[in-house]
Every structure is written in C-alpha cells, then in structure tokens.
Amino acid sequence: MDSLEYEALGLKVGLELHFQLATRYKLFCRCPATLSEGEAKLRFERRLRPTQSELGEVDPAALFEFRKGLTIVYEADDRSTCLVELDEEPPHSINEEAVDIALTIALLLNARPVDEIHVMRKVVIDGSNTTGFQRTCVLALGGWIDLEGKRIGIQSICLEEDAARIVERRGDRVYYKLDRLGIPLVEVSTSPDIHSPSEAGSAALAIGKIVLSTGKVKSELGSIRQDVNISIRDGALVEVKGIQHLSLIPKVVENEVRRQVRLLELRDELRRRGLSKSSVDPTLYDVTDIFRQTRCKVVSRALESGGVVYALKLSGFRGLLSWLLNEGLRFGTELADYAVFWGRLGGIFHTDELPAYGISSSEVEALREAVGATDQDAIVIAAGSRDNVEDGLKAVAERVLIAFDGVPEETRRAEPTGVTRYMRPRPGAARMYPETDIPILVVDPRRIDHLRSNLPELPSIRVRKYVKEYGLSRKLAEELVASIYENLFEEVCRSFPSLPASVVASTLTETTTMLRRRGVPVDRVSTDRLYELFRFLAEGRMFKEAIPDILAHMAGKGVGVAEALEELGLKPLTDEELVEIVSEEVSRSGELIAKHRLNAVKIILGSIMKRYRGRVDASRLAKMIEDEVGRSIR
Amino acid sequence: MNRNPNLQGYKGRVRELLLSAGVEVGDEVRVVRDGEVYEGVLAPRIEYGGEDFIVVKLRSGYNIGVRVSDGKVQVEKLPARREVRYKSPVIPEAKATLPSVAILGTGGTIASRVDYRTGAVTPIFSADDLYGFTPELAGIARIDVETVFNIFSEDMTPKHWSIIAYKIGEYVSKGIDGIIVTHGTDTMGYTAAALSFALRNLPVPVILVGAQRSPDRPSSDAALNLIGAVTAAAYAPFAEVVVAMHKGLSDDEVAFHRGTRVRKCHTSRRDAFKSINSDQVAVYRDYKIEMLTEDYRRRGEDGFRVEAEFEERVALIKFYPGFDPKIIEWYIDDGYRGLVIEGTGLGHVSSRCIPALKRAVDSGVFVGMTSQCLWGRINMSVYRTGRELQAVGVVPLEDMLPETALVKLMWVLARVDDVGEARRLMLTNIAGEIFRRTSFRWYA
Ligand SMILES: [Zn+2]
C-alpha cells in the first residue's frame, strides 16, 4: 500500500513515546534511578481493589482481575527500593532535575509549559504500581515538530513514574520487581496527525532525536516502550502498547491497518453468508466424555486434574476461524487470546484446524454429533477447570459477536515481529484524580527563561558542528545525528583525542548499521561497553580492522571487549611476534623479491594480513616489511 | 444566578473573576489567556495553593493551574457535558441469621472518599459507602452504621472518649454481637486505652480500626482492616477493647492488639501498630480469627457498665537532658492533680528535679513514673536516683506504656480523691495494662 491508499482508508495514527530519564534519583524518592542487579531481600503480597467511586464505571479488566482474586507478589531489594515504592511512605516532592529535563524537552518540541504542575493519580490496578495508580503530571501542552514540511502536533508532554517490572504470572498470582518503579519517564503524545506507516516511523524518529539531544535520556534498548494509537475509517481505535524499538513502528502500523481491513472483510463475509448476531448461540456443551481416552496431551492433562471440556458451536462459521488477519494471526488466534485473557486458559481448539494436536478424527466426529453441527459450522472447544472454561468460551462468544460489527476497540501488545496480539479491553476514560500527597509546583517564568536560554542544540545545528569541529563528512555527521550514539561519540572523542573522529563516527553508524542488517543484535551492546571498545582501540590493545568482528561477538555473546578479543583470538601481535613473522615471510619470499624488488612489499603484506587481520596495524606492518625487504635487497 | 456558588478554595480576584463569569466548581469552562485556550472542568482550589491560579481538569483528565495574575484572562461557562455519575454498587443483602455488628464512625483516613470529577476529598460514612469498597462485609455480619462525629484523630479529647464509650454502652444494652469504632490512627492508641478502662465487664468485642492509606486508593489497607475487624466483632471469643490493623506489609493478616498495650510506632507503614510488653490478642487470616493468647476476657460475662469520666488536669511529661524543673512547678501551681513522667531507662529523671517532685507529692499531686524506652519494666531500686525518687513519693508504674498510664490516671482521678487510693488503683491491673512478669518474646 502506498501513502495515498492509507489516506483513502482514513488512517489516523497518534504516538505516545516514552523516554526514561537519566536522573540521579527516582521521581518521588531518593532511590537511585537505575535498575538493580541485586537479589530481592523482601517479598510481600498485596491485593488492589477498584476504589469506591469507580465501581459504577470501572475498567472492566481491572474489576475482572479483582473478582478473580489476583494476588500481587512484590520483590524488593534495599538498594533500589525504599518505603515509597512499597506504598508504605508518602511520596516526596517531585524531583526537580526530572522536571527541568522534561521542560527542556517540552521547549525543544515548541510546547507551552503549564503555569502550575499538578501531580495526578491515574488508576492502574494490574499490580504494576503498588499504589494502584501511576503518578503522572502534564508539564506542557500544544507543541509541534516539523516533518519534511508537514507539521505534526504535539498534544502534551507528561512526566510520570515508570512501573514495576513484571517477572512472571502464574495462575492467580503475578510477580513484580520493584526496582524500576518510580524511575522518571517523559511521555510525548502527538496529535492523530499521522496518516501513513512511514510517516509514523519518521515522526517517532524525529521526536526521538530531539529528546535524545538533551543528553539526559537513557537510550538503551528496553528502556523505551512505545505506544501507538491506530484507527481507520469504519475500524476502531486500537491502542498498541509495548513496541520495543522505534524502528518497529511502521511495521506495527502496517500490520494493524491490514488486520482492521481484514476484520472488515470478515464482517462482509459474515453478511454474505447470511449470518447475523442472532445466529450465534452462546450455549456451552459439556463434551468431556468424548475426550476421556484422548491422546491430546493438553486435554488429558486438564481432565486428570478434574477439569472439563466444553464446546461452543458457531453456526455457519466453517473456515472463518482460519481467516488470515496478519502473518501468523488468524481469527481463531484472536478468539484464543480472548479465551486466554478472560478464562486463564492455555488456549482453545477449533474444528478449522482439527483433527490435529492428538485429537482424532473420530473425536471430531463425535464432537460434531454432540453439538448437532453440520459441515457448515465450526466448533470451538476448551479444556480446563469448569470456571475457567466457562469464562473463556463466554469471552470467545462475545468476541464472535463483535465480528459482525467489525473491529473492537482494544489494547493490543506488539510482538517483536510487528504483529499485534489482544492484551485487554481499552480502559474507559482514564480515571485521574489529584495526588494530594504532593504539593503543587508553580512553574516560575524565570525558570522557563533560564531553560530556554540553555537549550541543547537541535539536530541540524549539530550536523554543522560535527562537520566543522570534528572534520566528519556531511553524510557521516548526518548519520551520527540520526543515531542514538551522539553523546557517546563526543565522550569518546573527548577522552581519546588520538582516535580519528571519523573512525569513531563510522563505527557508531556505518558499522552498526551493517551489523544490524546482518541480523546482529548490536543494540544490545551497552554504551559502557562501546566506550570500552574505543578505549582498547586508543590504547592499541586492538585494531580498527577487528571492530566489526568484535562488535558482532560482543552483541551475540553478550560479553565485553576483553572476552571478545580473547575468544576470537584477535589479541594484537606483540612486537617480537611481528618481527619474527615478517622476517620469516620475507626470507621465504626470496624469489618474489628478486623478481619484483620493492613492489614485493605489497604482496607480502597481503599474505600476512590475510592470516593476521585485526591483530596488526596494517600501516605499521607495511613499514616493517619495507624495511626487511630493503635490508634483504641490500 | 446561584447566590452561593461552590468556589471551594478560590479567593481574592480569582474568586471575583469566577463569580462574574457565573461558574462554579464542577462546571465545564473555557479559560483563555493570551490566546491560549484551556477547556475542561473547573476543579476546586486546594487550600495551600497560591491564590492567583485557576485549576482546570482538562479533557485528558489532567489538572493544570492557569495563572491569572497578569489579568488578561477570560473565563467562560460551557454547556455541561454528559455527567459521569457514581453508580451505587448493588448492595448484597446481609442474611438475618448473621451476627449483628455496629460500626461507629469518628473520622480519620478510613472515612474519606474522592470525587473523581473534581478531585475533592470528602468524608463519608454510610453502610453503602462501606459496602462500596468492601462488598465482602455483607457476607460476614449484619451491619449498623452510625456516625458519632467526624474529626481528625489529633483533635480527639477525653470528652470524645466519653461520648464514644456511652454510645458503645447503648449498643451493648441492645444486645449487639460486636462493635467497631473507626478512628484516625494518630491517637487511636489513647482512645483504645480510654475505652479499655471505661467499659467495665465488657460482654462483646470492641474493635478500633483505622487505615494508614485512605480508601480512595486501590492499595488502601482499610478494606482488609475492616474485614478483619468485622469478622472479629462478629465471631471472636474475646470481649476486650482491641485495635485491629495490618500485621505486616502484606494484605493477608490483621493483628488485634490489646487496647492498653498498643502503640503507633511508625509514621506511615500499614503495620505501624505494635503490642508492647504484651502478646497480640489474636490474628485474622482468610475469614478466620486465631487467638494468640489464652489470657483474655471471654464473651458474655455479666455486670457491664460504662464509667467514662476522665480528669483532664493530668499531664504526661517527657524528661530530657537539661529538663527544667520549673516545668513541674508550673503544673503544680496550675492545679494539676496527676503527673505521669516519661523518664529515662529504668525510670529516672535528673536529681535536680527531685525537690520539685517532692513539692508535687507533698501538695497532693499523684506522680507516676514510666519509661521512654517503652519496652521493659520500671525499676527504681537499682540506682540511687531511683531510690531517692521513690523516697519522695514517685510511684513506679511497672511495665505500663506512658500513654496508657496517662489515660488510666485520668480515669482513676475522676473516680477517687484520695491519693493513696489512686496509688493502689494505679498499681492494680484493671484492663491488662500491668503484668508482673516480662516475657523474653516481648521486644521489637
Ligand atoms: Zn525509593
């Protein structure tokens, strides 16, 4: 699809980009704003309940979780977590360093700071915040960025606390680590001004670059989780959460548009088949007896622990459960995701894919007979505890009903492939009320003036600077500014003046891009380790020819420079080793030298380099060979 | 036009501006300043904020403050949008066969609720409100709710203790199965001690309960504390005054502390209350009450009466290095009838204080000694100062908490005039406040 086709579909995209701030402390306490490697020292259990005023119009997923009796288990260590994260001490006043960074970002995005900052509580009761709400505040409104001549609106810039890290979910217990809770996050929300996947990608990148130019943002992968709101005409507003990398955004938008289009086509297909909501019979059939002797492991395991197998008949749906929505995502997958969420089931089986998974054709026949299905119908079955199976299949039936209308409003989760999966229903209007424990912060106009006169340079100005001050080519400078490594580049050049700036820049841009294209997870290498790599280079402990191999090894194995050098056998040759290799090679090349005289140097160099690439500095080696050959000629 | 519009917290010229625009808190408004437009709901102004701002709850739900000091601000009322109303939850009917429990409201964190539309926090107290955030209660007991008063815990006085005690008396005579008093946590320990002395021969449990996190938060400890308290009020075998609060950091157990032995020991944790020099009476877990001591008063005994008078001319004085004995003189001269000293260690004050204390005792003031160590027992025979203090008539109050000793002395002096009789009563165990034996388990 090209951009015109997206426009014809009425595609509207809004971005919610999050950036973790590299402040010294967390947002509302004096814990360090870094994740902890330490062992959890403390474990405790909590329950969160929908609060009073909410019961009328509560987030259905939250209420559901509560009724299901979700127990939240928190793990805390003493270094990263204090009583504030435990919800055992009121929050301290807001971290002014974080406010300054966020206001700087707001100014760079042409937004208007508010006069007074009011911290709010946004209710979230999945356990990711011990309080049951996320503390958040709007710092600025109404900005914009210029994207190749088009203006993209910025609705708001918010400062908020990051959530706890989920460790695992087992049955009705969910486990969280508290170290991340409270690290400051800046959220930049755009207006729904974006009309194509590629535009979404470039807008995200442009905003990301502007935000990173503060130098106060953590740029490591994983410290950023992006949300995108996507809708098309006749479709629905779908919120996709947890996109792990900015570069994945266009793919996610593309997939989501396709998914919505395919759901609309499914709606039309249902009409074409003459089906309507009233033809969906929500009756659940107990078909446990059919599977007493089954070879299907999932089912027999469920039955062994006293479970049941229920069936839901979908009249006229034959083939529609395999209806393809996205690569690897069928309508049946959507139904399964509903069953998993609402019924805590492992999944469902349906007749469009049976017999399979150990379920025999005679079992399928018996199933059809038991529910009175013709070969035009589809049947969904689920195995597990009676409660879970009932809840799960009820959710499936409800999802099937929505198919007659088209696309449901949902919150979806982005997979690393860019395909989205059902996560939960969209929360109602965000429940927000004032955080009365934190004083209102008046934004002094002099504070804004001060920040405004100390703004970091914008990308275009920085390109000019790198060309002028560091002698980079314009192309290299632009690539550097577009990368996430700009701050590292300056730091390395400052620390190691002997390294040519162009080598540092091309390593951080061309080399990483090349490796990324080859599928090397180079973004996994932390900036600290990259810095270490340049230190080794500056100290002559490795050579620039070895950079690609070493970097690839560091990324793949998750090791440091020293280990990579060791494991790859790329430690530089010592002077003694070099002298020996050169003299041996030269003495072996008598004929060659006799024939080509000094021109033999190049050939000898090539042959040595072939064996020792990355372990020796080529120009120094050439000089040594030249001397040795000169000596032998004499 | 509304003659008395709700402009909660707005003062001065901002209030004038809002008045002339004919808007009040909760209205949809448009605020325009220098061409910048803010639309949303007019939110109340919190008292401690500066005067020159209008608070707007934006459509996104966020509040912001708009500065109006430069005067170029227009406020306009917009038509009301769809009202988001609080729908009362369906209240499950409690079965007639369940025990009856009365909940008496006195205020505090446990009885507040937030208005989500404006963000105002308001006091609540009705059975519906309670069921609203803890629907489980209906399955435990039939509950009567009565608001006795609604004050902050720090505004509580001995007169309030009396009112609560007589109110409890009314319910006990009606044959209630258990009573709960919701209370702010800061002085809940004092009230618990006061009720322990005032309610003589109690036939049912009286349970004080509070919250360290208000019920407008999903993480509030109020719900579990209330469930534990109601369960105990309805079913527990003990008939004593206790405080019910979280046992630990987890939302699983509620500890019941004897009213004369309990103290708030942490400013903010939900397990802030500890039993000192005593075991906890019981613990709640999973709708069950487990007794932790055999030494408790059983339900259903006869002879219940309320004796809820307190002498207020009694003081608790904390000794510290450099303490000026003139402080004691002041109390004597002001006509105080009793002093509880919170001394150091085993029960000491500087020997400089001895003349003043002698004068107090000689002029008929009861003087008792407790320890600022809290844990452990007074012993004024080990060091010379202690022996001298005893010689002038200072009474060592054993293992009594300083606050409990204060409350007990108020109660005792309201009943007897004779200092000798007061001394005898102060050293007699009346409500579990004095034990003669100290277990090695009773520490931190
Ligand atoms: Zn902390």
Side-chain angles (χ1 to χ4, degrees), chain A residues 29 31 82 85:
Chain A
C29 67
C31 289
C82 67
E85 290 92 331

Side-chain angles (χ1 to χ4, degrees), chain B residues 145-407:
Chain B
V145 174
E146 181 175 344
T147 302
V148 184
F149 36 74
N150 199 330
I151 61 173
F152 290 126
S153 162
E154 59 270 28
D155 292 332
M156 202 69 75
T157 67
K159 294 189 182 63
H160 293 99
W161 302 340
S162 303
I163 297 169
I164 299 169
Y166 285 111
K167 183 55 79 181
I168 290 170
E170 285 172 27
Y171 278 94
V172 172
S173 6
K174 280 192 267 179
I176 201 98
D177 292 309
I179 290 170
I180 288 168
V181 178
T182 64
H183 200 291
T185 54
D186 280 4
T187 66
M188 186 156 67
Y190 292 84
T191 305
L195 295 178
S196 301
F197 296 113
L199 303 170
R200 303 282 76 229
N201 301 325
L202 197 57
V204 297
V206 169
I207 298 168
L208 285 89
V209 64
Q212 291 281 76
R213 303 277 101 72
S214 58
D216 60 51
R217 315 157 61 110
S219 64
S220 174
D221 51 335
L224 180 71
N225 291 348
L226 263 172
I227 293 168
V230 172
T231 306
Y235 305 102
F238 62 82
E240 292 195 25
V241 177
V242 297
V243 164
M245 291 290 285
H246 264 58
K247 190 178 171 81
L249 295 176
S250 291
D251 284 336
D252 51 4
E253 292 181 333
V254 177
F256 299 92
H257 306 273
R258 183 165 275 137
T260 50
R261 291 294 191 174
V262 64
R263 196 169 192 282
K264 187 177 185 180
C265 292
H266 197 280
T267 58
S268 61
R269 284 171 64 134
R270 58 197 76 202
D271 58 354
F273 284 79
K274 299 286 174 203
S275 284
I276 292 180
N277 297 334
S278 159
D279 287 312
Q280 292 170 5
V281 175
V283 65
Y284 161 92
R285 189 182 180 103
D286 290 335
Y287 297 99
K288 283 185 204 71
I289 305 291
E290 184 197 335
M291 294 307 296
L292 298 178
T293 174
E294 268 307 300
D295 177 24
Y296 63 90
R297 188 185 158 77
R298 267 64 179 174
R299 269 183 190 264
E301 289 179 28
D302 295 333
F304 173 70
R305 61 185 193 280
V306 181
E307 294 177 7
E309 277 66 50
F310 296 93
E311 167 62 78
E312 294 194 30
R313 284 173 300 165
V314 172
L316 174 60
I317 302 171
K318 186 167 192 141
F319 172 79
Y320 45 87
F323 180 88
D324 186 342
K326 283 206 289 288
I327 294 169
I328 296 166
E329 308 272 2
W330 183 88
Y331 282 107
I332 304 167
D333 297 339
D334 206 57
Y336 269 68
R337 295 184 58 207
L339 299 178
V340 172
I341 312 278
E342 203 179 301
T344 57
L346 289 166
H348 302 126
V349 293
S350 156
S351 53
R352 284 174 61 213
C353 298
I354 290 176
L357 290 172
K358 180 169 189 316
R359 195 190 138 213
V361 173
D362 290 349
S363 46
V365 178
F366 175 91
V367 182
M369 180 63 72
T370 61
S371 174
Q372 47 195 253
C373 295
L374 306 179
W375 270 276
R377 181 181 303 278
I378 293 296
N379 190 324
M380 290 162 63
S381 307
V382 177
Y383 295 102
R384 199 188 65 205
T385 310
R387 291 193 290 268
E388 283 173 12
L389 285 166
Q390 286 194 80
V392 303
V394 175
V395 182
L397 294 177
E398 300 287 336
D399 61 344
M400 230 191 294
L401 275 173
E403 297 88 349
T404 298
L406 169 82
V407 172

Side-chain angles (χ1 to χ4, degrees), chain A residues 44-47 49 51-53 55 87-88 112 115-116 121 130-131 136 138 432-433 436 443, chain B residues 33 36 45 57 62 67 114 116 129 132-133 136 213 216-219 249-251 268-270:
Chain A
F44 58 98
E45 290 176 15
R46 291 278 167 78
R47 303 223 31 208
R49 42 180 77 220
T51 49
Q52 180 146 41
S53 308
L55 282 172
D87 190 37
E88 291 289 3
R112 193 167 80 229
D115 300 331
E116 244 186 7
R121 300 169 170 177
T130 45
T131 48
T136 172
V138 57
M432 276 213 256
Y433 60 109
T436 42
V443 181
Chain B
R33 191 197 54 194
E36 296 161 1
R45 184 75 188 153
K57 186 176 180 66
Y62 283 97
R67 190 182 273 113
V114 71
Y116 282 75
D129 286 333
F133 72 94
E136 295 96 322
R213 303 277 101 72
D216 60 51
R217 315 157 61 110
S219 64
L249 295 176
S250 291
D251 284 336
S268 61
R269 284 171 64 134
R270 58 197 76 202

Side-chain angles (χ1 to χ4, degrees), chain A residues 1-13 148 150 194-200 202 232-233 253-254 257:
Chain A
M1 266 190 265
D2 63 26
S3 60
L4 279 178
E5 286 172 272
Y6 283 110
E7 228 171 308
L9 285 169
L11 172 63
K12 281 186 187 168
V13 181
E148 289 143 30
K150 179 179 164 183
I194 296 162
H195 301 303
S196 76
S198 63
E199 199 170 82
S202 6
I232 62 170
R233 192 174 309 111
V253 176
E254 217 176 284
V257 170

Side-chain angles (χ1 to χ4, degrees), chain A residues 86-194:
Chain A
L86 267 56
D87 190 37
E88 291 289 3
E89 179 177 304
H92 304 189
S93 53
I94 195 163
N95 178 341
E96 299 277 353
E97 184 192 7
V99 172
D100 275 345
I101 299 169
L103 283 172
T104 301
I105 290 169
L107 294 174
L108 289 173
L109 293 171
N110 308 298
R112 193 167 80 229
V114 300
D115 300 331
E116 244 186 7
I117 297 168
H118 292 239
V119 179
M120 308 295 288
R121 300 169 170 177
K122 188 195 246 175
V123 175
V124 186
I125 64 171
D126 62 2
S128 56
N129 291 70
T130 45
T131 48
F133 48 74
Q134 180 191 34
R135 297 191 179 97
T136 172
C137 51
V138 57
L139 261 60
L141 298 163
W144 50 266
I145 58 159
D146 189 47
L147 196 65
E148 289 143 30
K150 179 179 164 183
R151 208 168 245 215
I152 306 283
I154 304 289
Q155 279 178 341
S156 63
I157 288 108
C158 295
L159 181 58
E160 55 194 35
E161 51 183 5
D162 206 343
R165 284 199 279 171
I166 189 159
V167 179
E168 64 169 328
R169 183 164 185 146
R170 245 186 286 142
D172 55 6
R173 292 169 87 76
V174 57
Y175 296 77
Y176 287 96
K177 263 187 94 139
L178 286 181
D179 54 353
R180 200 178 66 192
L181 180 61
I183 293 183
L185 279 186
V186 161
E187 183 195 74
V188 177
S189 306
T190 75
S191 311
D193 291 347
I194 296 162

